Amino acid sequence: MSKTIFAVFLCCFSCCINNTFSQTCQGSLGDPVVHIDFGRGDDTFGPELGSNTKYQYIMSNAPADGYYTIKKKIDRGDPWHFISNHTPDDPDGYLMMVNASYSPGIFYETIVTTELCANTTYEFAAWVANLMKSGGIKPNITFQITTINDQILSTYNTGDIPNSVESTWKQYGFLFTTIGNVTQVKIKIVNNALGGSGNDLVLDDITFRPCGPKISTSIDNGQQEKIICENENTSITISANVEGSANLRYLWQRNSGNGWVDLNNETTTQIIIPAQTLPPGNYQYRILAAEINNFNSPSCRAASSAVTIQVTPSPKPIVVSQQNVCIGNTINLDVNGTADSYSWTGPNNYRSNLKSPVIENASAADAGTYQVSIISKGCSAIAQINVSIIALPLAEVDASSVSICEGTSVTLHASGGSSYKWMPSEGLSATDIPNPIASPGITTVYSVSVSNGVCEAIKYVIVNVFRKAEADAGKDRSIIEGQSITLNGKVSGDHVRYFWTPSNFLDDPSKLNPTASPPQHITYTLNVWSEEGCPGSTSDVSVKVYKKLEIPNTITPNGDGINDVWNIAALEAYPEAEIKIVNRYGERVFSSASDAKNWDGKYKGVNVPVGTYYYMIDLHSGQKIITGSITVLR
C-alpha cells in the first residue's frame, strides 16, 4: 500500500548514490509534496500493495518471476546484493522488491491522491537498484505520469540498469507539467525487459517536488552562513534574488532544529533579523515562492536553498563583586569557567593574561576595579571586581615579656582591635578577650590575633614562669666524735640563692655541700630564696655525734681482778647497742642484753677455752657494724 507524506523535506542518500534525470529544474525545487516510501513497521515484511500492482505479493526472501515483496532489506546473498531500504535515517522503513514477470508490462500503478497545482511543473524522482551482482537480464524501466484518463504528461526510460560490484541505489527523474485544470495524476512504472534469469530490482522513495522560479539567497550580500555572538547588537539581512514571474508571492521560513516554521509577517524578498533576538543555536532560513493564485497550496511552492545563522553563546564570566584584602596579603583574581583567552586590567597599569592571576604583598596602591575580558569561540564578555585594601589593626600589648613565680598569675593586655584571639588556651582564663589572666605552669609564649573585623595582626607575649625555690637538706646523719661529714644539700627553682644556719662547725655555710665537724649533736638548716622575689623555703638535717669507742682486744679472766672483763669505754653512750661474740666456728658465746654490755670470758657460766673470738657491735646509730677480734688468755 502506498503512503503519501505532505511537506516533508528528506535528503536522499545511500551507500553509493547516482542521480539520472532526463530534465533538470532550472529554477528552485520545493519540498516533496508526494512521497511514496512503502511505509515502515516492526515486522520484517510490510503490507502488500493491493490494486497498485498486478504482480503477486509473497512474504519471501526470494520471490519468483512475477512476484514482489515489501521488506526492510534484501539479505539473501548471492547472486543478489545485500541492500537496505533507501529512506534516510529510517531503519524500520520498507522497500519494494520486484522479480519481473516473463512478459513486459506495468508492475506498479497508482493514483496520486495529493491535489497538485494546475499549470505547474514538478520533478518526478524514484530510487532504483539492480539486485544482481553480475550477469543476468538487466532491468529496464519506463516511468510515466498520466492524467486520470491516461493522457501521458511525461515519460522517462531508464535504459538497461547495469550491474555493480557494490549495492548501488540510483535516482531517476524527470519533469512534468500539469495542463489545463489537471490537479490529479497517475504514476505508472513499466517493466520493459523479459523475465527469467535476472531482471530483479528494488524500488523506494518516489517523490514529486514543485519546480518554481530560480531563487538564490544570501546573508548580508554574499554569505551562505554567518556566525554571530549571543546578544550581539547588530542586524542581519537575508536577501532573495528571484528569476521568474513578476506575479509571485513570498513567505520566509525558519528551521531551529524542529522543522520549518512560517514567519507569517515576512513576505518580501528581504528579511532583517535583530541578532539580539536569537538565543544561542543554529537557525536556517529559506524563502518560499509561488504564483499568487497558487501560493496557499503547499503543493505549488518552490523553496530556496537554506542559509544558516549560527548564534554562539556568549561567555558569562563570573567573579566575586567585591574582595577585601589586608595590606601585605595576596590578591587572588579568578574568573569561573573556561575560555580561549583572558585579559585582566587594573590599577597601576596592571595587566595579566592568566585565568587566575595573583598579586603578592598587596599595598594601598593596588586598590580599585579590576576588569577581565574573556574570549570563547570568538565571542567576548567582560566582568569586574572591586578590590579594597584594608589597613591592618594597630595591635599592641602592654609588654612583650612578663615574669611570674610558679603558682601565681598575671593579667595580659592587648589593644587595637574589635576582637581578640589568644593561643594557646592552656593557662588562660579566656581566649577571646583583650585582657585574660594567665596562670601557666611553665614558661609559655602566647600569641594574640587582633582583628578589626577584616584584617588581623599578631603580637606575642612571653610569660616567664620562675620555679619555686625549694630546699632539701638531705637525710639526717651521724658521726663518731672527731669525724667530719659532707652535708647533701639540694635546691631547685630559678635564680635561687642559699646558705646554712647555724654556721658553727661548717667549713663554708654558703656552699650547697659544706663539710660539718660538730663535737656534739646539732641541727643545720638549709635556707633558699629566689632572686626574682619568689617565696623561699627551708629544710633541716640533724647530725648526731657519738662518742668514740675504745675496744680492748685481749682479756685475762683468771680472777686476779686485772683485765678479767671485756669492757668497752663510752658504750653507755649507745643505749641501743647490740653485741655479739662468736668462736672461730661461728658459734655464739656472748650477746649483750639491754643492761649487760661486758663479757667475763664465760659461756653459760663456764670459762671459754683460751683462744681468739670475734665480735660484732651494732650501735644502731646509723653507722656501720663494728667488727674485730678478742683474745682470751689465762
Side-chain angles (χ1 to χ4, degrees):
M1 185 169 74
S2 67
K3 180 176 60 154
T4 303
I5 300 178
F6 295 93
V8 177
F9 176 74
L10 294 174
C11 298
C12 298
F13 61 91
S14 186
C15 171
C16 299
I17 296 177
N18 296 305
N19 301 80
T20 300
F21 285 85
S22 64
Q23 303 162 356
T24 301
C25 178
Q26 300 301 309
S28 297
L29 293 169
D31 293 335
V33 297
V34 173
H35 185 196
I36 301 171
D37 63 1
F38 304 106
R40 60 198 39 78
D42 295 331
D43 296 331
T44 300
F45 293 94
E48 59 183 301
L49 300 180
S51 61
N52 288 340
T53 179
K54 294 181 179 179
Y55 278 31
Q56 296 296 309
Y57 176 74
I58 186 171
M59 291 184 181
S60 170
N61 290 325
D65 289 29
Y67 283 78
Y68 78 97
T69 191
I70 304 297
K71 202 170 184 288
K72 288 184 179 180
K73 59 184 176 181
I74 308 304
D75 52 6
R76 172 188 171 185
D78 289 337
W80 291 344
H81 287 297
F82 290 95
I83 191 168
S84 297
N85 87 92
H86 173 268
T87 308
D89 301 320
D90 191 2
D92 289 328
Y94 297 122
L95 54 76
M96 180 182 183
M97 176 192 174
V98 177
N99 191 338
S101 174
Y102 284 97
S103 299
I106 297 173
F107 69 85
Y108 182 83
E109 180 177 357
T110 187
I111 296 175
V112 175
T113 59
T114 302
E115 193 79 13
L116 303 180
C117 296
N119 299 309
T120 300
T121 299
Y122 291 90
E123 174 202 81
F124 167 90
W127 291 87
V128 183
N130 184 346
L131 278 177
M132 296 290 291
K133 293 181 180 179
S134 62
I137 300 171
K138 296 175 177 57
N140 186 302
I141 297 174
T142 296
F143 297 101
Q144 289 184 353
I145 303 298
T146 72
T147 65
I148 298 299
N149 298 322
D150 295 321
Q151 178 183 354
I152 296 177
L153 299 178
S154 187
T155 184
Y156 173 72
N157 178 252
T158 65
D160 287 348
I161 300 174
N163 306 114
S164 60
V165 177
E166 301 292 336
S167 60
T168 304
W169 281 105
K170 190 172 183 179
Q171 188 183 41
Y172 296 88
F174 57 95
L175 299 179
F176 70 91
T177 302
T178 55
I179 57 176
N181 295 322
V182 171
T183 58
Q184 275 197 317
V185 297
K186 287 182 181 178
I187 299 173
K188 295 182 180 181
I189 304 177
V190 180
N191 165 42
N192 299 315
L194 298 175
S197 177
N199 200 7
D200 304 320
L201 60 92
V202 287
L203 176 71
D204 203 0
D205 290 323
I206 301 170
T207 58
F208 288 6
R209 298 172 67 189
C211 175
K214 184 177 182 179
I215 309 171
S216 59
T217 53
S218 65
I219 303 172
D220 293 340
N221 298 319
Q223 302 178 66
Q224 293 300 301
E225 182 175 358
K226 186 178 183 68
I227 299 176
I228 64 172
C229 297
E230 178 186 9
N231 298 322
E232 190 170 317
N233 188 20
T234 186
S235 294
I236 302 169
T237 300
I238 304 177
S239 301
N241 181 40
V242 183
E243 299 178 13
S245 170
N247 192 31
L248 296 175
R249 182 176 170 184
Y250 306 99
L251 178 65
W252 286 93
Q253 290 184 319
R254 178 169 64 200
N255 184 356
S256 303
N258 297 312
W260 292 102
V261 176
D262 293 343
L263 302 177
N264 293 320
N265 295 324
E266 303 294 344
T267 58
T268 67
T269 57
Q270 188 177 81
I271 181 174
I272 298 175
I273 304 165
Q276 60 268 32
T277 65
L278 297 177
N282 290 328
Y283 302 88
Q284 290 182 309
Y285 290 85
R286 70 178 183 179
I287 190 170
L288 305 179
E291 295 288 336
I292 292 176
N293 294 335
N294 293 334
F295 189 84
N296 290 332
S297 173
S299 299
C300 304
R301 299 173 182 172
S304 69
S305 58
V307 294
T308 301
I309 298 174
Q310 178 181 329
V311 182
T312 301
S314 293
K316 296 176 175 57
I318 299 176
V319 298
V320 294
S321 60
Q322 177 72 33
Q323 185 177 151
N324 297 322
V325 179
C326 302
I327 285 181
N329 285 2
T330 298
I331 300 174
N332 293 295
L333 302 175
D334 182 53
V335 57
N336 76 324
T338 57
D340 299 326
S341 67
Y342 306 85
S343 178
W344 286 91
T345 59
N348 298 323
N349 295 318
Y350 179 76
R351 297 287 186 275
S352 176
N353 292 324
L354 298 177
K355 177 181 182 295
S356 304
V358 174
I359 303 173
E360 303 282 356
N361 194 25
S363 66
D366 295 315
T369 299
Y370 290 80
Q371 179 174 286
V372 59
S373 174
I374 68 172
I375 298 176
S376 178
K377 297 181 180 179
C379 298
S380 63
I382 292 173
Q384 293 182 339
I385 175 175
N386 185 62
V387 175
S388 297
I389 305 300
I390 310 299
L392 299 178
L394 298 175
E396 297 290 344
V397 291
D398 281 1
S400 60
S401 179
V402 295
S403 299
I404 62 173
C405 296
E406 185 179 5
T408 63
S409 61
V410 64
T411 299
L412 307 180
H413 296 276
S415 61
S418 57
S419 64
Y420 303 85
K421 183 66 176 178
W422 292 85
M423 292 181 66
S425 61
E426 287 78 12
L428 294 181
S429 62
T431 59
D432 56 355
I433 61 176
N435 53 347
I437 297 173
S439 306
I442 58 174
T443 295
T444 302
V445 178
Y446 289 104
S447 67
V448 57
S449 175
V450 180
S451 173
N452 58 12
V454 179
C455 302
E456 62 181 28
I458 296 177
K459 289 289 185 177
Y460 297 91
V461 179
I462 301 175
V463 179
N464 297 295
V465 179
F466 297 122
R467 292 177 297 157
K468 294 179 181 179
E470 297 285 353
D472 181 3
K475 295 181 180 180
D476 289 342
R477 311 293 294 279
S478 61
I479 60 173
I480 301 297
E481 185 179 14
Q483 291 182 337
S484 297
I485 191 170
T486 299
L487 301 183
N488 292 324
K490 297 178 182 177
V491 296
S492 62
D494 294 319
H495 304 170
V496 297
R497 299 291 297 275
Y498 46 82
F499 65 94
W500 292 90
T501 58
S503 60
N504 300 356
F505 314 111
L506 296 177
D507 65 337
D508 185 352
S510 65
K511 290 169 55 178
L512 190 56
N513 304 112
T515 299
S517 306
Q520 65 273 335
H521 294 335
I522 189 171
T523 296
Y524 291 105
T525 299
L526 178 58
N527 303 275
V528 181
W529 78 99
S530 169
E531 292 179 342
E532 304 299 332
C534 298
S537 68
T538 61
S539 178
D540 295 337
V541 61
S542 176
V543 179
K544 291 187 177 181
V545 181
Y546 293 96
K547 295 294 184 178
K548 184 176 181 181
L549 298 180
E550 295 182 3
I551 304 173
N553 60 7
T554 303
I555 61 171
T556 56
N558 53 14
D560 62 359
I562 300 172
N563 199 26
D564 286 335
V565 177
W566 188 61
N567 183 33
I568 302 172
L571 188 59
E572 66 273 7
Y574 303 93
E576 301 297 326
E578 291 185 23
I579 301 173
K580 181 180 179 182
I581 299 175
V582 297
N583 61 22
R584 61 180 178 174
Y585 302 109
E587 297 172 336
R588 185 175 58 186
V589 296
F590 175 79
S591 59
S592 65
S594 58
D595 295 328
K597 305 296 183 184
N598 301 325
W599 183 44
D600 58 4
K602 294 181 179 181
Y603 176 59
K604 295 183 180 182
V606 177
N607 289 329
V608 298
V610 172
T612 300
Y613 294 82
Y614 303 93
Y615 61 83
M616 290 167 284
I617 303 173
D618 185 354
L619 298 177
H620 289 288
S621 63
Q623 301 179 57
K624 68 179 182 178
I625 295 175
I626 302 170
T627 61
S629 63
I630 178 174
T631 301
V632 177
L633 300 175
R634 287 191 175 85

